Every structure is written in structure tokens, then in C-alpha cells.
Amino acid sequence: MRADRLVATLLFLQTRPRVTVAEVAAELEVSPRTARRDLEALSTAGIPVYSQRGRGGGWSLVGGARTDLTGLTSEEIRALFLLAGPSSTTPELRTALRKLVRALPAPLRSGAEAASRAGLTDGTDWSRADVTATGPHLDVLRRAVVDGIQVRLGYAGPGKPVGVRTVHPLGLVAKAGRDYLVAGTEQGLRTFRLSRVASVEATGEPVVRPDGFDLPTVWRSFAARLEQRLYATTVRARAEPGAMAILERLFDGRLHVGPVLPDGWTEIRVDGPTPEVVATQLAGLGARIEVLDPPEARERLARLAVELAGVYGPPESC
């Protein structure tokens, strides 16, 4: 969001006597054109930001002064509070927002307060399971990342009991409602889902940070490898018209819809980690789906049919 980026630009300006457009672009991971437009927007909004041309020039806050956020426009302030309002669950952030409201000009306060009440983040899925990290663990890990302190992490991997290991916290990532820790271990860089963290204890020992470590770059690499495994195979099938809405909900971006066949059914392709996994996911649709290939998927469905018939027998109507 632009308001979030403008705040980040302002805070970056406050850390240095003078910055260039290229430095702002690199820090915020935006194009130089966007960085220049944001700097000009801050200046136009009344924040004491000015540029100096020529050798050794750049952008600075007037007199090196520190400034508050009241130079933002009303739309930008509302955008900021929409982003951070009710989802700001930590006491520190709620306190900061209250201070910001008090610092705003009176005509802008009501809009900011309304924006802060306009959204809500629900940390549970529809099965009522918590899909975010617990507050204490997240807070302790955030402090460990910022302070550069190693921690003893109690962690239960999928299907494994809790084990304790010492890790070097390097960054926290939120993706699709879940929080992850990126940390250095004896086996190299690893990710840990915070919902599986059982305990966190700071050791007091400093983190050893790999040379050139960049959290966005490392996370993109982890995500790409995971996505490669999730999309490792493709199952081709045909589906009756009434099954298409269910398939779209089940598979979303993994479903590829082909042409409508002469009998009214639709050719589809579904990506997944293995043919057997995709076949198992399709099995609940019964005869409304016919898997065409690969053979491993068809064999999995045939085995499932035999296993289920052995447990439940034929329907009473048969």
C-alpha cells in the first residue's frame, strides 16, 4: 500500500542525513521512478523534505529534523489505519496508533479512527483451528530477530514429536495467514512454521548471520522450492458440468480447465505433488470425475474403490 511505503520512506530519511533516489529504491524494493514519486509526494504533502541537485546531492529532511506523520493526506492516513487497525494485537502497536491519532490534525482524527475500526483479522480457520503463531512465541521470536540473539526452539515437525534445537533467528515471514521463522541451523538455513513451535528460550548468544543474507531473496528461494514440489505432477481427467464449481473450490490455482467435450463434460488438468495425492483428492467426487492419466492415478482410485467396498460393502439399494 502507498501509505505504508510513504511511512517507510519517511523513516528511512530519518536514519540518514541525505539519501539518493537509488538508495530509497533499493531499500524499499521499488523502481527508481516510484521512489522519486514517493519522495515528491512527501514534499508536496507538507513534510519538510527537499532535494539538492548536483554532485553529492540527494533528498533530506530540512535541517536533519525528525518529523511526525501529520503531513500525510487524509486518504493516506486512512489507508495506514486500515492496514494496521484492529489487527494490531500487540500493546506496543496499539499504543503507537493512539499516539498517532492524538498527533493528527483535528479534522483528520475521525477518519483515522473510523478506518482503524473498519477491518478485522480472524486468526482461526473455519475449523476453529489457530492458523497464526501464538502471541508469546511470536513476540519472543520477533525480539530475538531484532536483537540478534540465538534461541532454543521447541519444534514439532509434521508427524514428529517435539524436539529442541538451537537456531539463529534471521527473519519472520507471514504468508497466507501463517507465520514462519527463517533461521540458521547446523544443517543450513531452514524455515519453521510458528504454529508448530512449542517453546522459545533466548540463549543470550549472538546470532551468526550468513554473509549477504537477504530475507526476501531467501524466502523467494524457499517458496519456489516448495511450489515446485506442490506442482510436481499433473493429472488429466474429465468432469461432468455439475462438478466444476466443486473442483474450482478444491483446487483453485491448481485447476486448469480445458475444452468442453462433445458429451458435455469438460477436460481438466490438476497439479499436485504426486499422482496418488491428486487421485485421492479427486476420489470424493465419485463418478462425476473420470481420471484419464497418468496410470498411477487411475490405479490409486481403483485401489481406493476396493478398500472402501471391503469396509462398507455395496450400498443397500444394489
mmCIF file of all heavy atoms in Angstrom, residues 8-29:
data_model
loop_
_atom_site.group_PDB
_atom_site.id
_atom_site.type_symbol
_atom_site.label_atom_id
_atom_site.label_comp_id
_atom_site.label_asym_id
_atom_site.label_seq_id
_atom_site.Cartn_x
_atom_site.Cartn_y
_atom_site.Cartn_z
ATOM 1 N N ALA A 8 7.464 4.219 5.331
ATOM 2 C CA ALA A 8 8.788 3.585 5.302
ATOM 3 C C ALA A 8 9.828 4.532 4.708
ATOM 4 O O ALA A 8 10.972 4.595 5.180
ATOM 5 C CB ALA A 8 8.717 2.289 4.498
ATOM 6 N N THR A 9 9.447 5.264 3.677
ATOM 7 C CA THR A 9 10.378 6.242 3.073
ATOM 8 C C THR A 9 10.745 7.323 4.071
ATOM 9 O O THR A 9 11.916 7.703 4.208
ATOM 10 C CB THR A 9 9.739 6.873 1.824
ATOM 11 O OG1 THR A 9 9.419 5.854 0.887
ATOM 12 C CG2 THR A 9 10.680 7.874 1.181
ATOM 13 N N LEU A 10 9.745 7.829 4.795
ATOM 14 C CA LEU A 10 9.999 8.866 5.796
ATOM 15 C C LEU A 10 10.926 8.366 6.893
ATOM 16 O O LEU A 10 11.876 9.053 7.291
ATOM 17 C CB LEU A 10 8.674 9.335 6.387
ATOM 18 C CG LEU A 10 8.745 10.414 7.480
ATOM 19 C CD1 LEU A 10 9.453 11.652 6.958
ATOM 20 C CD2 LEU A 10 7.356 10.754 7.969
ATOM 21 N N LEU A 11 10.684 7.161 7.364
ATOM 22 C CA LEU A 11 11.538 6.601 8.417
ATOM 23 C C LEU A 11 12.963 6.396 7.905
ATOM 24 O O LEU A 11 13.940 6.583 8.636
ATOM 25 C CB LEU A 11 10.951 5.277 8.914
ATOM 26 C CG LEU A 11 9.606 5.378 9.624
ATOM 27 C CD1 LEU A 11 9.083 3.992 9.983
ATOM 28 C CD2 LEU A 11 9.716 6.232 10.882
ATOM 29 N N PHE A 12 13.098 6.003 6.639
ATOM 30 C CA PHE A 12 14.431 5.830 6.055
ATOM 31 C C PHE A 12 15.157 7.166 5.978
ATOM 32 O O PHE A 12 16.357 7.262 6.265
ATOM 33 C CB PHE A 12 14.294 5.200 4.665
ATOM 34 C CG PHE A 12 15.599 4.860 4.009
ATOM 35 C CD1 PHE A 12 16.528 4.052 4.642
ATOM 36 C CD2 PHE A 12 15.904 5.349 2.744
ATOM 37 C CE1 PHE A 12 17.740 3.731 4.035
ATOM 38 C CE2 PHE A 12 17.104 5.028 2.123
ATOM 39 C CZ PHE A 12 18.027 4.213 2.774
ATOM 40 N N LEU A 13 14.436 8.223 5.612
ATOM 41 C CA LEU A 13 15.039 9.553 5.571
ATOM 42 C C LEU A 13 15.546 9.984 6.935
ATOM 43 O O LEU A 13 16.551 10.687 7.053
ATOM 44 C CB LEU A 13 14.009 10.574 5.063
ATOM 45 C CG LEU A 13 13.759 10.629 3.556
ATOM 46 C CD1 LEU A 13 12.495 11.408 3.261
ATOM 47 C CD2 LEU A 13 14.949 11.260 2.845
ATOM 48 N N GLN A 14 14.844 9.572 7.987
ATOM 49 C CA GLN A 14 15.217 9.984 9.337
ATOM 50 C C GLN A 14 16.463 9.270 9.842
ATOM 51 O O GLN A 14 17.034 9.665 10.853
ATOM 52 C CB GLN A 14 14.047 9.746 10.298
ATOM 53 C CG GLN A 14 12.880 10.680 10.028
ATOM 54 C CD GLN A 14 11.704 10.452 10.966
ATOM 55 O OE1 GLN A 14 10.817 11.267 11.071
ATOM 56 N NE2 GLN A 14 11.686 9.317 11.644
ATOM 57 N N THR A 15 16.907 8.230 9.148
ATOM 58 C CA THR A 15 18.087 7.493 9.601
ATOM 59 C C THR A 15 19.376 8.004 8.976
ATOM 60 O O THR A 15 20.455 7.603 9.400
ATOM 61 C CB THR A 15 17.944 5.999 9.279
ATOM 62 O OG1 THR A 15 17.909 5.812 7.851
ATOM 63 C CG2 THR A 15 16.687 5.418 9.909
ATOM 64 N N ARG A 16 19.270 8.873 7.945
ATOM 65 C CA ARG A 16 20.464 9.337 7.232
ATOM 66 C C ARG A 16 20.360 10.828 6.951
ATOM 67 O O ARG A 16 19.263 11.351 6.748
ATOM 68 C CB ARG A 16 20.620 8.583 5.902
ATOM 69 C CG ARG A 16 20.733 7.079 6.070
ATOM 70 C CD ARG A 16 21.051 6.426 4.752
ATOM 71 N NE ARG A 16 21.160 4.977 4.892
ATOM 72 C CZ ARG A 16 21.606 4.173 3.949
ATOM 73 N NH1 ARG A 16 21.990 4.668 2.779
ATOM 74 N NH2 ARG A 16 21.677 2.877 4.149
ATOM 75 N N PRO A 17 21.505 11.497 6.903
ATOM 76 C CA PRO A 17 21.454 12.934 6.615
ATOM 77 C C PRO A 17 20.985 13.230 5.193
ATOM 78 O O PRO A 17 20.380 14.263 4.927
ATOM 79 C CB PRO A 17 22.903 13.393 6.837
ATOM 80 C CG PRO A 17 23.721 12.144 6.685
ATOM 81 C CD PRO A 17 22.874 11.034 7.208
ATOM 82 N N ARG A 18 21.277 12.324 4.247
ATOM 83 C CA ARG A 18 20.872 12.538 2.852
ATOM 84 C C ARG A 18 20.827 11.180 2.154
ATOM 85 O O ARG A 18 21.674 10.318 2.399
ATOM 86 C CB ARG A 18 21.853 13.468 2.141
ATOM 87 C CG ARG A 18 21.489 13.775 0.692
ATOM 88 C CD ARG A 18 22.381 14.858 0.129
ATOM 89 N NE ARG A 18 22.138 16.132 0.802
ATOM 90 C CZ ARG A 18 23.091 16.995 1.139
ATOM 91 N NH1 ARG A 18 24.345 16.714 0.898
ATOM 92 N NH2 ARG A 18 22.778 18.128 1.737
ATOM 93 N N VAL A 19 19.814 10.999 1.313
ATOM 94 C CA VAL A 19 19.685 9.738 0.571
ATOM 95 C C VAL A 19 19.451 10.054 -0.898
ATOM 96 O O VAL A 19 18.943 11.131 -1.250
ATOM 97 C CB VAL A 19 18.519 8.874 1.097
ATOM 98 C CG1 VAL A 19 18.724 8.510 2.551
ATOM 99 C CG2 VAL A 19 17.180 9.559 0.890
ATOM 100 N N THR A 20 19.817 9.114 -1.754
ATOM 101 C CA THR A 20 19.558 9.253 -3.182
ATOM 102 C C THR A 20 18.311 8.463 -3.552
ATOM 103 O O THR A 20 17.856 7.587 -2.798
ATOM 104 C CB THR A 20 20.738 8.733 -4.006
ATOM 105 O OG1 THR A 20 20.868 7.315 -3.800
ATOM 106 C CG2 THR A 20 22.032 9.432 -3.609
ATOM 107 N N VAL A 21 17.770 8.757 -4.719
ATOM 108 C CA VAL A 21 16.613 8.010 -5.214
ATOM 109 C C VAL A 21 16.957 6.539 -5.338
ATOM 110 O O VAL A 21 16.153 5.663 -4.996
ATOM 111 C CB VAL A 21 16.144 8.592 -6.569
ATOM 112 C CG1 VAL A 21 15.134 7.661 -7.229
ATOM 113 C CG2 VAL A 21 15.547 9.974 -6.378
ATOM 114 N N ALA A 22 18.156 6.242 -5.800
ATOM 115 C CA ALA A 22 18.574 4.844 -5.971
ATOM 116 C C ALA A 22 18.610 4.118 -4.633
ATOM 117 O O ALA A 22 18.231 2.942 -4.540
ATOM 118 C CB ALA A 22 19.946 4.790 -6.646
ATOM 119 N N GLU A 23 19.081 4.805 -3.575
ATOM 120 C CA GLU A 23 19.135 4.179 -2.258
ATOM 121 C C GLU A 23 17.732 3.893 -1.726
ATOM 122 O O GLU A 23 17.487 2.841 -1.141
ATOM 123 C CB GLU A 23 19.906 5.086 -1.292
ATOM 124 C CG GLU A 23 21.400 5.136 -1.565
ATOM 125 C CD GLU A 23 22.109 6.190 -0.736
ATOM 126 O OE1 GLU A 23 21.444 7.144 -0.274
ATOM 127 O OE2 GLU A 23 23.329 6.064 -0.545
ATOM 128 N N VAL A 24 16.809 4.840 -1.915
ATOM 129 C CA VAL A 24 15.422 4.619 -1.476
ATOM 130 C C VAL A 24 14.806 3.462 -2.255
ATOM 131 O O VAL A 24 14.129 2.599 -1.688
ATOM 132 C CB VAL A 24 14.588 5.905 -1.657
ATOM 133 C CG1 VAL A 24 13.116 5.640 -1.342
ATOM 134 C CG2 VAL A 24 15.126 7.017 -0.770
ATOM 135 N N ALA A 25 15.047 3.419 -3.561
ATOM 136 C CA ALA A 25 14.500 2.343 -4.389
ATOM 137 C C ALA A 25 15.018 0.986 -3.939
ATOM 138 O O ALA A 25 14.255 0.010 -3.849
ATOM 139 C CB ALA A 25 14.854 2.587 -5.856
ATOM 140 N N ALA A 26 16.304 0.898 -3.619
ATOM 141 C CA ALA A 26 16.882 -0.375 -3.177
ATOM 142 C C ALA A 26 16.351 -0.772 -1.801
ATOM 143 O O ALA A 26 16.056 -1.943 -1.554
ATOM 144 C CB ALA A 26 18.409 -0.265 -3.144
ATOM 145 N N GLU A 27 16.209 0.201 -0.904
ATOM 146 C CA GLU A 27 15.749 -0.088 0.453
ATOM 147 C C GLU A 27 14.310 -0.593 0.454
ATOM 148 O O GLU A 27 13.958 -1.528 1.178
ATOM 149 C CB GLU A 27 15.856 1.179 1.313
ATOM 150 C CG GLU A 27 15.327 1.042 2.732
ATOM 151 C CD GLU A 27 16.209 0.159 3.601
ATOM 152 O OE1 GLU A 27 17.382 -0.087 3.222
ATOM 153 O OE2 GLU A 27 15.724 -0.294 4.648
ATOM 154 N N LEU A 28 13.448 0.010 -0.371
ATOM 155 C CA LEU A 28 12.022 -0.326 -0.374
ATOM 156 C C LEU A 28 11.656 -1.345 -1.452
ATOM 157 O O LEU A 28 10.499 -1.719 -1.577
ATOM 158 C CB LEU A 28 11.174 0.932 -0.553
ATOM 159 C CG LEU A 28 10.816 1.690 0.741
ATOM 160 C CD1 LEU A 28 12.063 2.248 1.418
ATOM 161 C CD2 LEU A 28 9.836 2.803 0.455
ATOM 162 N N GLU A 29 12.673 -1.735 -2.263
ATOM 163 C CA GLU A 29 12.467 -2.708 -3.344
ATOM 164 C C GLU A 29 11.396 -2.237 -4.330
ATOM 165 O O GLU A 29 10.436 -2.944 -4.647
ATOM 166 C CB GLU A 29 12.109 -4.091 -2.784
ATOM 167 C CG GLU A 29 13.210 -4.701 -1.944
ATOM 168 C CD GLU A 29 12.894 -6.116 -1.492
ATOM 169 O OE1 GLU A 29 11.724 -6.391 -1.163
ATOM 170 O OE2 GLU A 29 13.810 -6.950 -1.503
#
